[in-house]
């Protein structure tokens, strides 16, 4: 027996203290509903943000009425997939349970509370921000929270930490329902979770499918699994409470699921059933290993998928929007498609955000994006000395491990983001590191224990960055083992070239900021605000001193711009060149380095940040450059620190050897001459970086830079790149006359003299086949519209051609 009643729609939220009422459907949040009803101003516009503080400071009651014709027989469970976050639930005026975590599915047995006819569910939301403050005051020990938060003490709550603000994020502290709400009618057995472990050996895959069921009374039922024409069964003999049974099924000669760029994303239909409750999944079969064996350098950090070592290329993921209702499947799909279009094959779901909904990971499976999954802890101390908090974490970890076990895209579980570093960030933990290390160890061990107990067959890392298990040292600056977070270039204002001083085994965080495009800036500013040092531009910059650092870096690398619009363009160019410098160098150090995930892919609101996709999903210059520096076959030029030579390397992630022809030219910015230095035939290898040529810098004039492109054996253009021996501001290009001919999906650009970093629009809805390139006389550049997107930002600006002025 199973019956599911949808309760998502027509919830009425009210706050008596503010005489406010609004209707919303799940998934949804109160801020979005109030905004749609005209009850609050847009919190993203100008400096409106604190004007909505009353929303998170108030208590809200959500009420839903529904009809039940028959309540005889069976058990009724009221199921909330995700509630943010502290809420008391009653049914027909009687207590049903309490929600304590955004990251838990809450199941309340309401059999005895229901009645035939009309029923009423009331959910009383406590103020997340006020309750967090109360818990902090009641704590035996002070628990410092990240300095980036405007709304404090969210480390005492199990919810997205960035909802209190971050150094890129607005602080709204939303509340609401983020997943389905259902009334589930079953017999004495209720199927709660399905966990799947894959075991690959001998050309076959064995799936261990574990059924997690709750028994209201002693019961017995057959558990069945069907896949690829095979059916396997097991018997569950259950006693009241939680129960489990594992059924194993074998798939011979499987079609394997591969990350994007390395093979197809093959899927199988999997059906599971227990006591009349059936679930249908689409799963990919793949093996995942994290290689951390010792070598002559230290310890490796390399992902092996289906027995093949794969260089991971991608970025960090934060929630899709600060207003949760806006992070729809369509909006998120657009962002993830953009990641794949830029040759990314991995994202890191960062620990200050949230475990995403099932549909998010289904999209990652479909698109071939591997997921480094953090547990949701970041940059703070957490009250793991409190039994109730730690018990909540244990349940959270097990639920999430089981839920996400079916997704082929999940590659790694990581305990937290930068909690080891946090031991040295706050006065109380500096004064008594032993105490706070012991508290951290309780938390970290609870997560490791959950991973071991659930045994889903995926790698686990204790923290990021981390040198290794039970190592509480400085992972930021160790490039011989583990993963690194390398922030010296941004936070310490080092030159871009400083990236070449480290060679990480895997760099899971690094980044550089830029302003969003003029289109986004216009969406949150009035005309008088459009100045880099205006109060509103400061509000939309959450990293202390961030705008000043952007401007200072522009002055370091470029001639100072004449207009605010040029400032915006150069900020994006700075960001892109920083990422290009780091990633091309680290890819050229393959296989010592086997992954780079820059900070960050997306934004939650319109803001100056480290993202490559600005709010609304438009491509910044960095995203276009990422498509080049993450290309499967890339040629890069790197300075040799020992000899001073400029060395051309071919870097390939393609499994087969591939012959290419590289053409190397010099471009003189002063007089516009282009000189061909040579043509080189090279066979690339996935196992080694191939040196192509060495150029003495003294053989180049002061106004000269290198330009090179490469083609395959059939003459097909594969890519192009440039290398500037000096900083861009050292070159004097003169004023090119660039002609643009646009016709529907085709744009042709031509010039009378060399132009560098030519960008035909950025941040708009249209995505072009190329952008931020070198344009030469006599060599027209033809762009096509690769994809037309639609964002919610409204009016598009006309494309504005930009190039390096000198």
């Amino acid at each position: 027996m199973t019956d599911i009643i949808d309760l998502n729609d027509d919830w009425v939220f009210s706050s008596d203290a503010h005489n406010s009422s609004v209707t919303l459907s799940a998934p949804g949040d109160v801020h979005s509903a109030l905004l749609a009803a005209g009850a609050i101003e847009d919190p993203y516009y100008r400096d409106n943000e604190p004007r909505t503080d009353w929303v998170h400071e108030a208590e809200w009651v959500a009420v839903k009425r529904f009809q039940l014709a028959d309540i005889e027989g069976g058990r009724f469970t009221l199921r909330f997939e995700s509630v943010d976050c502290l809420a008391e639930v009653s049914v027909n005026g009687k207590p049903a349970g309490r929600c304590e975590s955004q990251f838990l599915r809450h199941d309340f047995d309401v059999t005895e509370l229901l009645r035939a006819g009309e029923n009423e569910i009331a959910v009383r939301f406590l103020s997340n921000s006020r309750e967090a403050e109360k818990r902090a005051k009641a704590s035996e020990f002070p628990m410092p929270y990240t300095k980036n938060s405007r709304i404090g003490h969210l480390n005492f709550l199990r919810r997205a930490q960035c909802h209190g603000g971050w150094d890129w994020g607005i602080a709204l502290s939303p509340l609401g329902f983020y997943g389905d709400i259902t009334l589930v009618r079953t017999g004495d057995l209720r199927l709660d979770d399905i966990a799947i472990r894959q075991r690959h050996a001998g050309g076959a895959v064995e799936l261990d499918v574990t059924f997690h069921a709750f028994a209201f009374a002693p019961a017995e039922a057959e558990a069945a699994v069907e896949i690829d024409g095979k059916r396997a069964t097991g018997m569950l003999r259950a006693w009241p409470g939680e129960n489990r049974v594992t059924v194993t099924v074998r798939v011979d000669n499987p079609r394997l699921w591969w990350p994007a760029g390395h093979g197809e994303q093959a899927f199988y239909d999997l059906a599971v059933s227990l006591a009349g409750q059936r679930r249908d999944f689409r799963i990919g079969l793949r093996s995942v290993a994290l290689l951390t064996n010792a070598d002559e350098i230290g310890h490796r950090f390399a992902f092996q998928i289906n027995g093949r070592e794969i260089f991971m290329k991608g970025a960090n993921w934060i929630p899709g929007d600060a207003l949760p209702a806006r992070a729809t499947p369509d909006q998120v799909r657009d962002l993830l498609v953009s990641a794949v279009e830029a040759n990314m094959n991995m994202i890191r779901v960062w620990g200050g955000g949230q475990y995403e909904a099932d549909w998010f990971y289904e999209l990652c499976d479909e698109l071939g994006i591997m997921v480094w999954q953090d547990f949701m802890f970041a940059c703070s101390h957490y009250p793991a000395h409190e039994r109730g908090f730690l018990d909540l974490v244990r349940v959270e970890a097990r639920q999430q491990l089981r839920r996400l076990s079916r997704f082929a895209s999940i590659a790694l579980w990581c305990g937290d983001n930068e909690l080891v570093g946090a031991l040295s960030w706050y006065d109380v933990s500096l004064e008594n590191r032993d105490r706070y290390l012991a508290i951290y160890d309780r938390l970290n061990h609870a997560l490791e224990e959950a991973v071991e107990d659930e045994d889903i067959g995926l790698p686990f890392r204790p923290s990021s960055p981390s040198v290794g298990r039970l190592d509480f040292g400085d992972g930021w600056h160790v490039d011989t083992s583990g993963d690194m977070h390398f922030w010296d270039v941004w936070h310490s204002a080092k030159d871009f070239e400083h990236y070449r001083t480290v060679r990480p085994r895997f760099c899971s965080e690094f980044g550089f900021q830029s302003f969003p495009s003029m289109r986004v800036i216009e969406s949150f500013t009035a005309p008088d605000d459009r100045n880099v040092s205006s109060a509103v531009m400061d509000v939309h910059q959450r990293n202390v001193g961030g705008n000043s650092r952007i401007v200072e870096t522009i002055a370091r690398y470029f001639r100072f711009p004449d207009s605010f619009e040029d400032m915006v363009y150069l900020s994006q160019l700075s960001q892109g060149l920083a990422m290009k410098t780091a990633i091309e160098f680290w890819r050229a150090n393959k296989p010592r380095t086997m992954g780079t995930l820059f900070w960050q892919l997306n934004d939650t609101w319109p803001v100056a940040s480290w993202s490559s996709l600005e709010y609304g999903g438009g491509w910044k210059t960095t995203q276009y450059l990422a498509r080049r520096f993450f290309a499967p076959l890339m040629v890069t030029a790197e300075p040799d620190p020992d000899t001073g030579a400029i060395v051309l390397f071919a870097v390939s992630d393609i499994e087969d050897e591939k012959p290419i022809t590289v053409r190397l030219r010099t471009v003189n910015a002063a007089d516009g001459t282009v000189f061909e230095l040579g043509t080189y035939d090279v066979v690339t290898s996935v196992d080694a970086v191939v040196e192509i040529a060495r150029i003495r810098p003294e053989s180049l004039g002061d106004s000269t830079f290198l330009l090179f492109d490469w083609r395959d054996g059939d003459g097909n253009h594969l890519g192009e790149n440039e290398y500037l021996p000096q900083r861009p501001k050292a070159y004097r290009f003169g004023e090119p006359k660039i002609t643009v001919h646009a016709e529907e999906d085709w744009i042709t650009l031509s010039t009378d003299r060399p132009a560098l970093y030519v960008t035909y629009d950025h941040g708009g809805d249209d995505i072009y086949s190329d952008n931020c390139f070198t344009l030469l006389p006599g060599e027209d550049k033809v762009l096509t519209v690769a994809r037309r997107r639609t964002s919610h930002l409204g009016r598009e600006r006309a494309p504005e051609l930009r190039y390096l002025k000198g």
Side-chain angles (χ1 to χ4, degrees), residues 389-699:
F389 182 88
L390 205 53
D391 285 347
L392 201 62
V393 167
R394 289 189 175 102
V395 177
E396 167 193 321
R398 283 164 170 76
Q399 268 197 19
Q400 297 295 342
L401 285 162
R402 295 168 188 171
R403 179 176 73 94
L404 301 187
S405 65
R406 69 180 172 95
F407 296 104
S409 50
I410 302 292
L412 173 75
W413 280 92
C414 180
D416 63 72
N417 175 78
E418 298 183 353
L419 262 57
V420 175
L423 293 168
S424 62
W425 295 348
Y426 306 101
D427 290 342
V428 294
S429 52
L430 283 170
E431 293 166 1
N432 194 339
R433 190 178 194 271
D434 289 350
R435 168 184 289 162
Y436 287 89
L437 177 58
I439 293 173
Y440 169 73
D441 183 62
R442 288 186 179 194
L443 173 65
N444 194 257
H445 183 255
L447 298 173
E448 183 178 32
E449 192 175 61
V451 172
E452 292 174 349
D453 289 350
E454 294 303 319
D455 193 25
I456 58 174
L458 288 175
F460 172 73
R461 291 291 289 183
S463 182
S464 182
S466 174
V467 176
R469 187 169 184 260
L470 297 179
D471 190 313
F472 303 103
D474 182 5
W476 274 260
H477 296 96
V478 176
D479 68 350
T480 57
S481 300
D483 70 311
M484 287 187 77
H485 291 188
F486 192 69
W487 281 105
D488 283 4
V489 173
W490 172 257
H491 287 301
S492 300
K494 298 288 184 66
D495 293 339
F496 298 163
E497 294 78 10
H498 188 66
Y499 283 120
R500 298 191 182 111
T501 66
V502 296
R503 295 187 292 159
R505 310 314 299 265
F506 194 110
C507 201
S508 51
E509 264 197 38
F510 60 102
F512 205 87
Q513 275 203 2
S514 73
F515 297 121
S517 69
M518 286 304 302
R519 182 192 189 192
V520 171
I521 290 172
E522 288 175 355
S523 76
F524 68 80
T525 60
D528 287 350
D529 300 325
R530 293 163 200 162
N531 183 289
V532 72
S533 58
S534 74
V536 168
M537 290 298 291
D538 283 344
V539 165
H540 290 253
Q541 166 61 266
R542 293 308 167 98
N543 187 233
V544 176
N547 287 351
S548 297
R549 189 163 300 129
I550 292 173
V551 173
E552 187 275 331
T553 303
I554 288 173
R556 208 186 312 172
Y557 282 88
F558 305 100
R559 302 188 76 189
F560 208 75
D562 297 326
S563 67
F564 181 64
E565 289 80 1
D566 282 343
M567 178 83 74
V568 168
Y569 159 71
L570 289 178
S571 79
Q572 294 205 8
L573 189 52
S574 293
Q575 180 193 37
L577 294 183
M579 295 300 90
K580 170 179 159 57
T581 301
I583 292 170
E584 289 190 3
F585 176 69
W586 291 338
R587 285 191 69 190
N589 276 275
K590 178 184 177 180
R592 173 184 174 128
T593 302
M594 283 300 291
T596 63
L597 307 178
F598 65 75
W599 187 270
Q600 69 219 62
L601 181 67
N602 56 308
D603 275 328
T604 64
W605 73 308
V607 66
S609 83
W610 299 270
S611 72
S612 60
L613 297 175
E614 64 189 18
Y615 185 67
W619 284 35
K620 291 183 179 179
T621 300
T622 298
Q623 186 74 5
Y624 281 105
L625 290 178
R627 188 159 58 189
R628 292 185 172 200
F629 57 63
F630 279 150
L633 202 162
M634 177 196 70
V635 176
T636 182
E638 302 294 335
D640 185 332
D642 296 326
T643 67
I646 302 167
V647 187
L648 254 64
F649 295 104
V651 183
S652 176
D653 295 327
I654 300 170
E655 187 68 15
D656 299 326
E657 293 183 345
K658 190 175 183 68
I660 62 170
T661 299
V662 180
R663 177 178 59 165
L664 176 62
R665 295 184 287 176
T666 62
V667 179
N668 189 307
D671 61 20
T673 58
V674 179
F675 180 74
E676 188 159 325
L677 282 184
T679 301
Y680 307 90
D681 293 323
V682 179
V683 177
T684 66
S685 168
V686 72
D687 297 318
V689 174
V690 178
E691 181 176 318
I692 301 171
R694 287 177 172 258
I695 302 96
R696 299 299 306 177
E698 58 268 21
S699 67

